[in-house]
């Protein structure tokens, strides 16, 4: 089945997005308007992004000392995306938006990730940047910066990491000092001078838009000249590449932000990845060095504000990983259907006089294809479910909105980490299906793997998601979020128990949930964080597989209900992928949870000298 058919099934049959039309914000929409957006994005992705995907991979961004150069096809794809209006798809009509539900917006954007994730990454950063400003910026910051980003006139970045501080944001060294005695009176916000370096900044330098709006984390020194230690001292600043006036017009002044170098990556090459120097004096502005930036929110609130963008980005990263997993699945499925190799083995062995059969008829190839299907489609379903929760959070009744917000808190580490790990494995299996051909650049599957490998690293590494889940999410508010998720899962189990073909899987999920709860309590039995968190990553893996089994059982219930109306290959495919996941994947959690329950100290007590 095509990616579009799967997406439509999840949106309309399972998540019932048409019911959102009953809410005032989405009242102008219909199945036709949703389909029109999906059609447009699918077409642009097919015509502009897919043809330039390999070009962007082989013709990496390069710097001539003044400008960063990208292939013309990348510029064309970027223009087409801006013209589609998708940067502002979920925004109010009054600022040029479409007021699309988040779930439809994310589904539409997934076509771009699938066709050329390296090219489409800039759009995610820009809309996320602007969304943050709409939530935490002043009205003037929203007007000057966010609205121009939604219009595609400006593009955005997020600048967190530094050469010496990757994930350890409490150690950032970038400093911000008040710019003059009148610094608080600037119409664009309290004005500061920033000095420091930021590493791994995607889209940090390019010519795709008139301006680049950097959102930068930095520390403001106190009266003693020293910054507040830890994350409490971090503030957030808007630092434009080119300075603007109070109406958003370019003043003609280049801000003191300089490209120090481009990072040459394994994959995801369509988007420039940069090391930026802020305030080094290469571009002195308004009388001296120091990049001019405008405070967002209050001093010390930087990380809280930035997490607004980071949580959104984590769901988008998960959907991007899922889309790449599905791209590899489609390519290997097509290959398997057309590649003759081998003959069936009967009771008398193989008959060499018979013609070879397509490799898709071999059980082991079907196993690899089913694994890819269960990983990628399960991940897509998870991400769209999370996007549906975002819509509930913003437009639901108060109780439903609060519940959706808590469930999102619980699921975000899984939404980011699970597709990043298992859809990468799907890409590896796609290479395996193609054999030697898959290891060459003559087929796209090796690029999908290289592009997807980044997703376990950026927007919070795998290990950090694990620490967040076991160290914070499952114990917050006395375990309130975990209890809510357990209720949701048990509700699905109860419904599936009444459907004979699904009862086996419902029992398996109930057992997995029970094991997960026991392991959670055992991990924290001593109250020692070092003991509890030493095996946080196996816990994350088991938690993720349990959540995906729940998602698949939900999808299975929907597919089974519609299958009663007649045979349908799409529905049979969903049910087969569900069965595969329950029989081949869910049993893995036992080994993962064993080391969690016992608080195994093999890794924790390994002496570094023994390596």
């Amino acid at each position: 089945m095509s990616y579009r058919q799967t997406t439509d099934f999840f949106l309309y049959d399972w998540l019932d997005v048409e019911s959102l039309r009953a809410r005032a914000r989405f009242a102008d929409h219909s199945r036709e308007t949703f389909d029109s957006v999906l059609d447009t994005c699918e077409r642009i992705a097919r015509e502009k992004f897919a043809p330039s995907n390999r070009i962007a991979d082989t013709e990496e961004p390069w710097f001539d000392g003044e400008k960063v150069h990208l292939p013309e096809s990348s510029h064309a794809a970027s223009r087409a995306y801006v013209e589609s209006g998708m940067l502002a798809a979920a925004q109010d009509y009054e600022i040029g938006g479409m007021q699309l539900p988040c779930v439809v917006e994310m589904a539409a954007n997934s076509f771009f990730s699938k066709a050329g994730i390296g090219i489409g990454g800039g759009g995610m950063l820009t809309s996320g940047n602007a969304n943050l400003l709409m939530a935490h910026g002043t009205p003037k910051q929203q007007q000057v910066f966010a609205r121009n980003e939604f219009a595609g006139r400006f593009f955005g970045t997020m600048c967190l990491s530094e050469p010496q501080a990757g994930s350890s944001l409490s150690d950032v060294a970038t400093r911000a000092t008040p710019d003059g005695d009148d610094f608080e009176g600037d119409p664009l916000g309290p004005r500061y001078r920033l000095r420091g370096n930021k590493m791994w900044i995607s889209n940090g330098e390019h010519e795709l838009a008139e301006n680049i709006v950097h959102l930068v984390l930095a520390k403001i020194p106190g009266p003693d000249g020293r910054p507040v230690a830890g994350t409490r001292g971090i503030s957030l600043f808007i630092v434009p590449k080119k300075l603007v006036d109070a109406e958003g017009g370019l003043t003609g002044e280049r801000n003191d932000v300089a490209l120090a170098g481009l990072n040459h990556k394994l994959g995801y090459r369509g988007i420039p990845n940069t090391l930026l120097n802020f305030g080094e004096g290469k571009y002195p502005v308004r009388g001296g060095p120091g990049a001019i930036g405008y405070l967002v929110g209050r001093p010390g609130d930087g990380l809280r504000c930035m997490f607004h963008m980071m949580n959104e980005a984590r769901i988008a990263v998960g959907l991007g990983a899922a889309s790449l997993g599905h791209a590899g699945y489609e390519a290997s499925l097509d290959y398997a259907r057309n590649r003759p190799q081998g003959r069936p083995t009967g009771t008398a062995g193989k008959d060499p006089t018979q013609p070879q059969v397509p490799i898709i008829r071999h059980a082991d190839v079907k196993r690899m294809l089913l694994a890819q299907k269960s990983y990628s489609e399960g991940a897509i379903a998870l991400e769209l479910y999370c996007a549906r929760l975002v819509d509930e959070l913003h437009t639901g009744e108060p109780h439903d909105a609060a519940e959706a917000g808590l469930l999102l808190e619980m699921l975000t580490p899984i939404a980011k980490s699970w597709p990043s790990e298992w859809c990468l494995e799907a890409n590896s299996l796609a290479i395996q299906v193609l054999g030697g051909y898959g290891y060459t650049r003559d087929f796209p599957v090796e690029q999908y793997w290289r592009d997807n490998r980044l997703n376990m690293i950026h927007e919070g590494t795998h290990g950090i998601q694990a620490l967040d889940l076991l160290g914070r999410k499952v114990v917050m508010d006395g375990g309130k979020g975990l209890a809510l998720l357990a209720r949701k899962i048990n509700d699905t189990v109860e419904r599936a128990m009444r459907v004979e073909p699904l009862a086996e899987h419902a029992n398996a999920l109930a057992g997995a949930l029970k094991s997960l709860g026991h392991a959670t309590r055992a991990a924290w039995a001593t109250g020692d964080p070092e003991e509890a968190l030493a095996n946080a990553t196996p816990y994350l893996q088991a938690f993720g597989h349990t959540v995906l089994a729940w998602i698949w059982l939900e999808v299975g219930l929907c597919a089974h209900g519609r299958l009663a109306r007649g045979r349908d290959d799409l529905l049979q495919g969903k049910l087969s992928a569900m069965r595969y996941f329950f029989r081949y994947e869910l049993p893995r959690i036992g080994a993962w949870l064993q080391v969690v329950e016992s608080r195994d100290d093999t890794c924790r007590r390994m002496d570094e000298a023994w390596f």
Side-chain angles (χ1 to χ4, degrees):
M1 298 298 109
S2 72
Y3 183 76
R4 176 62 184 274
Q5 288 173 302
T6 289
T7 302
D8 283 351
F9 172 75
F10 288 152
L11 290 176
Y12 298 122
D13 293 282
W14 177 44
L15 295 173
D16 189 23
V17 298
E18 287 184 272
S19 66
L20 290 171
R21 296 162 50 205
R23 301 181 182 184
R25 180 166 184 82
F26 311 124
D28 292 340
H29 286 292
S30 64
R31 171 74 182 258
E32 288 70 30
T33 62
F34 293 158
D35 279 346
S36 177
V37 171
L38 295 170
D39 290 344
T40 298
C41 292
E42 186 178 22
R43 177 182 55 78
I44 295 172
R46 181 178 63 250
E47 295 176 358
K48 298 293 185 180
F49 281 66
S52 60
N53 192 38
R54 179 60 87 178
I55 297 171
D57 182 63
T58 56
E59 298 179 19
E60 290 188 66
W62 61 279
F63 183 49
D64 66 5
E66 293 294 329
K67 295 180 179 180
V68 169
H69 296 266
L70 298 170
E72 174 52 38
S73 58
S74 294
H75 283 263
S78 179
R79 286 193 298 271
Y81 183 77
V82 168
E83 291 167 3
S84 74
M86 286 302 295
L87 284 170
Q91 299 304 310
D92 296 347
Y93 295 135
E94 289 74 16
I95 62 172
M98 306 181 200
Q99 290 187 196
L100 276 181
C102 177
V103 63
V104 176
E105 176 197 25
M106 284 207 163
N109 274 322
S110 72
F111 289 108
F112 301 109
S113 296
K114 179 172 171 285
I117 196 166
I119 306 167
M124 177 194 79
L125 286 167
T126 298
S127 60
N129 179 309
N131 286 339
L132 182 152
L133 293 177
M134 294 302 291
H136 301 288
T138 65
K140 180 59 72 172
Q141 289 171 344
Q142 294 169 5
Q143 173 197 337
V144 170
F145 297 108
R147 292 197 182 196
N148 277 307
E149 289 181 277
F150 287 136
R153 184 177 165 224
F154 299 168
F155 274 12
T157 72
M158 54 193 298
C159 301
L160 289 78
S161 298
E162 298 180 1
Q164 83 296 338
S167 300
S168 182
L169 294 177
S170 62
D171 295 309
V172 298
T174 301
R175 298 292 180 260
T177 56
D179 183 32
D181 294 336
D182 64 342
F183 78 100
E184 292 183 303
D186 197 296
L188 296 178
R191 188 179 65 251
Y192 287 75
R193 292 274 183 166
L194 277 72
R195 294 170 175 84
N197 316 101
K198 292 294 180 178
M199 185 63 159
W200 313 119
I201 309 307
S202 292
N203 245 22
E205 180 61 44
H206 56 77
E207 301 296 321
L208 295 171
E210 283 185 47
N211 204 357
I212 303 173
V213 179
H214 302 293
L215 287 180
V216 183
L217 292 182
K219 291 188 174 183
I220 303 171
D224 60 357
R226 298 164 59 184
V228 177
T231 58
R232 291 185 299 110
I234 297 175
S235 300
L236 179 64
F237 300 88
I238 299 168
V239 184
K241 173 184 173 180
K242 300 174 183 178
L243 295 185
V244 299
D245 60 29
E247 300 305 316
L250 300 182
T251 66
E253 301 165 286
R254 171 71 185 260
N255 205 355
D256 197 3
V257 182
L259 177 68
L262 294 172
N263 296 307
H264 302 285
K265 300 174 292 180
L266 172 71
Y268 223 113
R269 295 172 177 168
I271 186 170
N273 190 269
T274 65
L275 168 61
L276 298 178
N277 292 339
F278 290 83
E280 69 171 0
K282 183 175 182 179
Y283 300 104
V285 61
R286 296 183 182 174
I292 292 176
Y294 308 98
L295 181 67
V296 178
R298 296 175 300 180
D301 272 359
L303 209 54
R304 182 182 67 84
C305 294
M306 186 61 87
F307 266 109
H308 185 283
M309 183 177 184
M310 288 169 67
N311 284 332
E312 178 181 314
R314 284 170 177 170
I315 296 174
V317 165
L319 187 54
S323 302
L324 283 172
H326 204 279
Y329 164 62
E330 287 182 344
S332 63
L333 177 61
D334 180 69
Y335 182 89
R337 281 175 168 156
N338 292 287
R339 169 67 167 169
Q341 193 89 166
R343 295 168 178 83
T345 302
T347 54
K350 296 181 181 180
D351 182 355
T353 65
Q354 295 299 310
Q356 296 190 85
V357 298
I359 62 173
I360 196 171
R361 297 185 189 174
H362 301 309
D364 194 55
V365 173
K366 291 181 180 180
R367 176 189 63 83
M368 290 187 284
L369 292 170
L370 262 174
Q372 292 179 67
K373 183 179 178 68
S374 73
Y375 297 156
S376 63
E377 292 187 1
I380 292 162
L382 169 65
E383 303 306 322
L384 294 181
Y385 178 79
C386 287
R388 181 65 178 78
L389 289 176
V390 172
D391 288 319
E392 199 64 38
L393 175 65
H394 293 311
T395 65
E397 296 297 323
H399 175 269
D400 296 334
E403 191 173 83
L406 184 58
L407 204 51
L408 266 174
E409 281 281 307
M410 289 300 303
L411 291 176
T412 295
I414 304 304
K416 193 277 175 184
S417 67
W418 198 93
S420 299
E421 178 175 6
W422 295 100
C423 292
L424 180 69
E425 174 62 16
N427 290 142
S428 181
L429 288 170
I431 294 172
Q432 191 68 24
V433 169
L434 270 70
Y437 291 108
Y439 199 64
T440 71
R441 293 192 177 185
D442 297 321
F443 290 84
V445 289
E446 60 85 27
Q447 183 184 342
Y448 296 144
W449 187 92
R450 286 188 291 107
D451 287 347
N452 217 349
R453 186 60 187 84
L454 176 63
N455 289 317
M456 283 181 69
I457 300 171
H458 70 162
E459 305 305 335
T461 65
H462 216 54
I464 286 175
Q465 302 299 326
L467 293 172
D468 181 44
L469 178 65
L470 182 54
R472 191 170 75 87
K473 295 295 175 65
V474 300
V475 296
M476 65 183 182
D477 296 329
K480 187 177 178 182
L482 183 59
L484 171 61
L485 178 60
R487 289 198 301 273
K488 293 289 185 181
I489 293 175
N490 280 323
D491 175 70
T492 304
V493 166
E494 290 175 9
R495 287 185 287 120
M497 287 291 290
R498 297 191 289 269
V499 181
E500 184 178 353
L502 304 182
E504 167 198 342
H505 308 313
N507 273 317
L509 179 55
L513 181 62
K514 182 178 179 181
S515 297
L516 187 68
H518 183 268
T520 305
R521 292 187 294 274
W524 285 104
T526 65
D528 183 347
E530 188 177 0
E531 286 189 10
L533 300 177
N535 296 295
T537 294
Y539 180 83
L540 176 78
Q541 291 171 307
F543 198 108
H545 261 52
T546 302
V547 167
L548 264 292
W550 168 51
I551 292 292
W552 267 120
L553 191 57
E554 273 282 323
V555 171
L557 278 164
C558 178
H560 183 272
R562 281 151 181 75
L563 195 63
R565 304 170 191 170
R567 178 178 173 80
D568 187 301
D569 288 340
L570 182 142
L571 301 176
Q572 291 286 5
K574 299 292 175 282
L575 290 168
S576 295
M578 176 201 67
R579 284 192 293 272
Y580 175 89
F581 196 87
F582 273 91
R583 292 174 181 171
Y584 285 75
E585 294 296 328
L586 190 59
R588 293 177 185 246
I589 73 168
W592 291 324
L593 291 179
Q594 184 176 6
V595 294
V596 177
E597 289 177 16
S598 64
R599 298 183 299 283
D600 187 275
D601 63 0
T602 302
C603 300
R604 182 165 58 91
R605 295 198 180 278
M606 177 68 180
D607 192 295
E608 62 186 73
W610 301 344
F611 286 105

